[in-house]
Structures are given as C-alpha cells and as structure tokens.
Amino acid sequence: MLAGLRGSNNEGVLALVLVVIVVAISILNPVFFSLTTMFSIMRGSIVPLIFALGVLIVIISGGIDVSFAAIAIFSAYTAVKIAQDGNFDPGLIVITLMAACFGALLGLVNGAVIANFRLPTLIVTLGTQGLFRGVLIAYVGSKYIANPPMSLDEVAKTNIISIVNEQERGAFLHVLVVPVIILTILVAWMLKRTMFGRAIFAIGGDDEAARRAGFPVVRIQMMVYILVGVLAAVAGVFHVTLGRNANPQDLVGNELDVIAAVVLGGASVFGGRGSVLGTVLGVLLIQVINNSLLLAGVPTAWQRAAVGVLLIVGVGIQALSAKRKTKRSFVTAQLGA
Amino acid sequence: MAKAYRALPVLEVKNIVKTYGGVKALDEVSMALTAGNVHCLAGENGCGKSTLIKIISGVEQPDSGSIYIDGKLQEKLSPFSSIMAGIQVIYQDFSLFPNLSVAENITITSQVAIRAKLFSASKAKIAAATIIKELGLTLDLSAKVEALSVADKQLTAICRALINDARVIVMDEPTTALTHTEVDYLFDVVRKLRERGVALVFVSHKLEESLQVSQDVTILRNGKHIISGIASEFDRKSLTQYITGRDVSEAREITSPVMTAKPLMEVSHLCSSGAFNDVSFTLHSGEILGITGLLGSGRTEIAEALFGVRPAESGTIEIDGQAIRVRTIRDAIKAGIGYLPEDRLTQGLFLDKSVGDNIIAGSLDKHRSAFGLLDGEGISKTTQSMFDRLKIKAKSVSAPVRSLSGGNAQRVVLGKLLANQPKVLILNGPTVGVDIGSKEQILEILRNEANLGRGVIVISDDSLELVSVCNRVLVVRQGEIVDTLTGSQITATNIQEMTTA
Ligand SMILES: Nc1ncnc2c1ncn2[C@@H]1O[C@H](COP(=O)(O)OP(=O)(O)OP(=O)(O)O)[C@@H](O)[C@H]1O
Ligand SMILES: [Mg+2]
C-alpha cells in the first residue's frame, strides 16, 4: 500500500514520520509550531547536514568514517589559529579554503591507509580520529580561541531572513543555510549524475565487480575519503563561525547524531544504497527530536539515548527489509536447517 | 610454421602459470584466439578455465607466461587496459552490481571505458534498450539487478558484454540459466559477431552446445594444457576423453525399485494458481523420478511447493501414508524432504566458511551428542565422507568455499543436502554447470541414494541425464503433467519431443 510512497530508500516513509512527529509535538506544545522553531532547526542543521553528506558518501561506498568530527575541528581550529597567530583576517571564504586543504590532507591519510592496506574502515578511522585529535592538541594548540577573526563574527550575525515581531520571539534564518543548500544540491548531483558518483555506488555494491568493470577502485576510495575530509573541514569552519569560538575539544563525541541521521535516511550500512534526500530528512528528524526534547525540558543525556534508539530502529528497519528482499536466498541458506 | 596461413591471433596467451597458495591452477597453458572464430575452452570443474579468463581480463596476474594482443606483448594487463584493448568478459559469477538498475549495469563498463565524466540515467536506458531489442529479449530496465532471476541476471551480463564494440568476447558458462530459445538467440548473436570479426571464447559444460558454436578447441585438465585443435576434429566422445582422461559411460543404468504397495510419497491434486494445476503423482522408495518440461512450464514451482518455498493452494501431500502440511520450509524439512534449488551458485553458501562447515550447516541437529552438545567426531566423519563421495576438488575440508571453482562450490551445496539424510530428495538441475565426468559421478550418487531407500526427484531439461537415471519421467507442460514416460519410452528423442510438443 505504501509502496508508491516509499521511494527508492524509504524517503517517503521518512517524510511521513517527520510530518507526524512535527504535528504530534505541535499539538502537545503549540509553541513548537512556529517560524522561529523552523528557522532554528534549520540553523541547527547546518553543521550536521554537511557532516551527514560526507558520511553518506562514505557509507554508500561501503565504508564508514568516524573521524570526520576530529578532521573538522582539526582543520577549522588550525585555520583560525593561523589567522590569529598571523594577525590577519582573510575572511570566511579563505579560511574555509585553508581548512578544506587540511581536511583533504587528513582525508587522504584515511583513504591511503584504507585503500592500500584493505583494512576495516571503522577501525582505521577510529584510530585516525584519536591521532588527529592528539596531533591537534599536542602540536597545534589546546587553547580555546574566544575571539575568532572579525569577518567570521560578521557572518555569524548575518541572517538572510529576519522577522522581528513585537509580541513574539523573532525568527531568524541564518545566512550559512545558503551554502549548505548549494552543497547539498552539488552532492546530490555528483552522486546521481557523474560517473564518479556512480562509481561510489558501484564499489559499495560489489567492489570486485567494480574492479572488473575497470573502475580505478583504489583511487576512487581515496577520493571518497578526501571528499569527506573536505566536507568535514567546511562543517568545522561553519561550526566555529556559528559558535563564535574555536575550541579544540569541540565536536568530537557527537558523531552518533550524524551517523544516525544518515542511516535513518535510508543509507545501507552494507554499502551501495543511500540518497541525499533521505539524508536531509534524517538530519531534520534528529534535529526536530533533539529540539522538541529540549523544549520539553528533557535532559541531554536522554536526548542521546533517544538518538541511539533511533539509530537502532533505523538499522533494524534496514535489516528487516533486506531480509524480506532476499527472502528466497535466505530460504535457501536455511536449507536443511 | 605449420599454422602460418592463419591470420595473426587477436589475442594470444603463452605458457601461463598461476598458483594459488601452492595449488597450480594453471600450468604452462597457451591459447590463441583468431578473429571471427569461437574458441571453446573446456575441462573439468576446477581445471582452471575461469582462472585463465581472469588472466586475459587483467583481473588476475599470472606468475609467469606472456599475453599478446595483436602480437604486442602486454606487460601488466589491468582490468581497465584489458577493456581498453577491446576485451569483454561475461564472468561465471556475472560480476554485476546488485544495487544498480539493469540499464545502468548494461551500460556502465562502456562508460568507464570511454572515461565518461557524466552519467545520464535516461541515456543509459536508451542504450540498454537498443541492445536488449537487438537480442530480442525482454528485461525490465529499471529493475534493480538484485531483484532479478538468475536467468535475467545472466542475460544482463551478456548484454553488458555485447554493448561494447569488443574485439574479444569471453563467455564463462553463459548459458547455465538460459532456456533453449535464449540460447538460440545468443548463438545467433555469436554468428553475427563472428561476421564482424570478433574473436570469442566459449566455456560450457554442455558439450553439444560447445561443439555446435565453436571452431577451435582448447582443453585443460588439472591446470595443464591437454590439447588445442579445430572443433570439427572433435566429437562428444573424444572431447569427453580429453576432458576427463577416461571413458565416461552415459548409458542408461537403473535398478528397478521394489514397488511396495505404499508409496513413499503421494501427491494429489496439488494446485497453485498461475503456476500449476492438479498435479498428482507417486514416488516410491528407491525410485528416481524425473520431472521435465521447458523453463517456465511449472516444473520449478512444483518442486518449490513440495518444499514449502511457495506452498500450494490446495491438494495433499502424504509421506509414508501420513498426510503432511507443507506451509513453510521447516515443515518440509521436518517431514523429511530435502531440496537442491535451481539457483545455488550464489545462494545457500557461506563463502568465507570452510567446505566442512558448509556441508554440516544444515544438519547440526543430527550431530548432537547425549547432552545436546555437538558431536565433533561425527561431524568430521560426515564432512569428510561427503567431501570424498562428492569428489570435491579443494585442498581439504577446511578450505574456504570462496576458493573453489564454480562447479565445486555447487557440489558443496549437494553435500549439505545429503548430510541431512532426507527421505525424499528433490534436485532441481543437479548437474547444471558440472563437468561431464562429475556429472556421471553425481548421477551415480543419486543412484546410491535411491538404493539406500530414498525417493529421488530429479528436475531437469537435460534429456540424456534423465535417460541415464530415471525410472519414470513426468512431462510438465503449462503447469500440468501431460504424460508419464516409463521403461523403454524413456529416450532422449521422446523426452525432447514431449516437452516441446
Ligand atoms: N581465489 C582463489 N584462491 C585459491 N584457489 C583458487 C582461487 N580461485 C581459484 N582457485 C583454484 O584454482 C583452481 C581453478 O579454478 P577455476 O575457477 O579456474 O576452475 P574452472 O575451470 O573455472 O572450474 P568450473 O568449471 O567449476 O567453473 C581450482 O582448484 C580452484 O580451487
Ligand atoms: Mg569456472
């Protein structure tokens, strides 16, 4: 019955769930249903969505990267620190580009280890996560930078939509939503319309078949991890900008929210499946839930638990539908059992 | 040189050696492909055919030996450079992308080869539709490959190889899942390709098919190059001899079971709408019953109904006079039915587990000691005896299934089934993809199982095989049993006529 609505990765169902949750929360707590909340959820989604795009790409390719948060803060903090130490303010764009270079470099480290030594991606990125953090704190700096370059501060205070209302709280849509939307469209285009994107799907589907089809599998895997590094670095700079401080202890530890969003969005942890639309919906869903729990006064510890449950539900649904799809092969695997 | 009159080979491999951890898969093998000719590469399961093909396509690197394309020595052939040189392979395991659509699977390698940067799903569809039409096929272009039947997967793999303007096309057992009509289409295409000057390699365990389509022959045995020659100088008998190194009897050899009053299994009025209708038959202990019919005639559906994969809607099944209800596979297994499915190369095996673990995986319940613990000794006895009886070509029972050749992996599935000692054995195409020598051995195993008092049902469209082992043959057409052949009526010509009539 729902088949028509499902979409290739259950996006339809997810959208429905999102709507139901929003309606339910709004009924329980009318304050929630407002432009203010909507804009603040969008603002809250800026950083997780960029992260999620990177994680989506790497999950489709059949791997996982848990070092993205470490890469993000490493790249962003280092870029900001260079500007501060050098006493110059190159502006958001140049800082982002600088950070992106660091992100690419760290991504290359991940990619080189994974693609050349054929090691499990979770273990490798878990290792590099520690490595990147360690190097950042030991060699770059451990000090909290409370006053990043003025140009970032300017951006932090810029909204593209500001509705100031006498009785209510104002509603502000942050300007950084714009580059995020552009990035999202770019990634969607890359995955769907470029051979590089299709190669990522192919490798996630069957890497040996991809090799036999003539894809340069090692090179593509390296590029995937570099890309994740770059996206993470951009997210890191945006995070620093929005928070108006650069803290080397930041971000790491919140990877779960992002991975949960991507998996809820229909990306298969076995690789080869996933969509940008699903990921966007997944990020929004997690943000809505975190936000409403916050409004309801639920402590953060319980928010983490809620996200954990969501992740398990998401993976569970995937496992179930995978089982249904391969019912027949499952059946034969059980032969005589 | 004696062969100087022949044109320069498009592709030539010389003295190829390839070892896998001590096992010599190829030992000084040479082969030359000429434009416009089909080269039949034949040999027993595990003799190294697929390995040679992977070397030609750059997927594996030889330990020694040389590869020439148009007379030019290839230093290090990679999959990409092989494709660029115009070599296309239909792999035995298809090597398709399960998560991508049929259209994309068909077009993707050609896109890689032209180093395309962008991808257009609609263009892929148009290109794929063209080749599908050219071959006279019907395939759902937007379906994901994982959702396809084996036959459709095989057709997709064939289309993918043909869409490229290849100069060399290698087909590693391209017909295992195809119907006669589809094979005929394929052979028409092969003829057209030959006219265009394409050189082809054809691997198949169906010898008639191979002889019919090829001009040249190369035979391997145990990784060694036995002979190369012109196809017209071979016939079924000599080919068999070169392949196996001995004479293989394909004669009809049956022992008549004692027809007790009570059949082992009695099936009455089994119906399943859209699949089969009013199917009734009996099976006696010690009997081998053949069920034949064209693909899509309902023969597979009947077997699957008996095994609870897709239960019948009405009708009864009795075993030893007891009516049984088969709603699920578990019911069928409990009642003593065992089934070897049609599509088993990709299913039912734990590829990274050992041969032994795979054989025993289905019958752990039968190997428990008094306290419910697993009986290690019994297990190793069962696995070793299956390993020996089925003559599985692998280093030992502890070799992982992934390292086995296609035909040997298939024997592991059969071993798993037999280890459970079912009363009724249903085998769907038990010798598809199995070499001629082993085929005889597998049929002999079936005879043995029957002699032990089991009832055996063989579903097959290989008439020689049916003639060789069956006491009776049921002919299925459009979901109904239209005839039963017994005794001297069971001949290859009779079976072929009855199925297509
Ligand atoms: N990756 C591998 N690791 C170890 N051994 C291997 C591997 N691939 C193949 N072999 C071994 O090499 C030998 C040749 O295998 P190959 O697949 O070429 O046989 P084949 O002639 O294609 O047989 P079939 O007709 O069954 O497909 C077999 O003994 C097989 O076990
Ligand atoms: Mg093979």
Side-chain angles (χ1 to χ4, degrees), chain B residues 49-51 92 172-173 203 405-407:
Chain B
K49 302 179 296 293
S50 298
T51 307
Q92 189 171 9
D172 195 354
E173 302 196 33
V203 178
S405 78

Side-chain angles (χ1 to χ4, degrees), chain A residues 193 195 198 272-273 331 336, chain B residues 95 99 104 117 119 146 329 362:
Chain A
R193 291 298 175 86
M195 279 306 282
R198 302 320 289 170
R273 243 167 292 267
V331 149
Chain B
S95 288
N99 56 331
E104 199 172 347
K117 292 278 172 286
F119 169 78
E146 64 197 346
I329 293 176

